[in-house]
């Protein structure tokens, strides 16, 4: 795994968290959650978790880069 790959995952984490926050904020405003919105929220959470695991594994192998 390269530094560029890890940086890409870090960027994705940040971007996906912003989108996730927006979707979750929109959900609390209207009461009922659309199934499509919930699916997107679940998908974003899974993507964030996967990227976090990749970054954590890299940082564990390369502690000098953190």
């Amino acid at each position: 795994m390269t530094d560029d790959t890890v940086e890409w995952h870090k960027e994705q984490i940040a971007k996906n968290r912003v989108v996730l926050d927006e979707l979750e904020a929109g959900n609390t405003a209207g009461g009922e959650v659309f199934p499509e919105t919930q699916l997107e929220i679940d998908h974003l959470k899974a993507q964030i978790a996967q990227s976090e695991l990749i970054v954590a594994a890299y940082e564990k192998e390369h502690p000098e880069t953190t």
Side-chain angles (χ1 to χ4, degrees):
M1 185 173 319
T2 66
D3 289 344
D4 289 339
T5 302
V6 173
E7 285 305 313
W8 182 85
H9 279 283
K10 288 179 179 180
E11 291 171 11
Q12 293 305 318
I13 291 168
K15 289 177 186 178
N16 287 339
R17 282 186 178 151
V18 169
V19 175
L20 180 62
D21 288 345
E22 290 171 358
L23 286 173
E24 289 181 331
N27 271 340
T28 58
E32 187 174 328
V33 179
F34 290 109
E36 297 85 4
T37 304
Q38 188 59 54
L39 284 173
E40 183 64 19
I41 288 171
D42 294 343
H43 180 70
L44 285 168
K45 286 181 178 180
Q47 284 183 321
I48 291 168
Q50 182 179 16
S51 288
E52 287 174 339
L53 286 173
I54 290 167
V55 171
Y58 180 84
E59 289 177 349
K60 185 176 181 182
E61 291 178 16
H62 303 88
E64 69 281 357
T65 63
T66 57

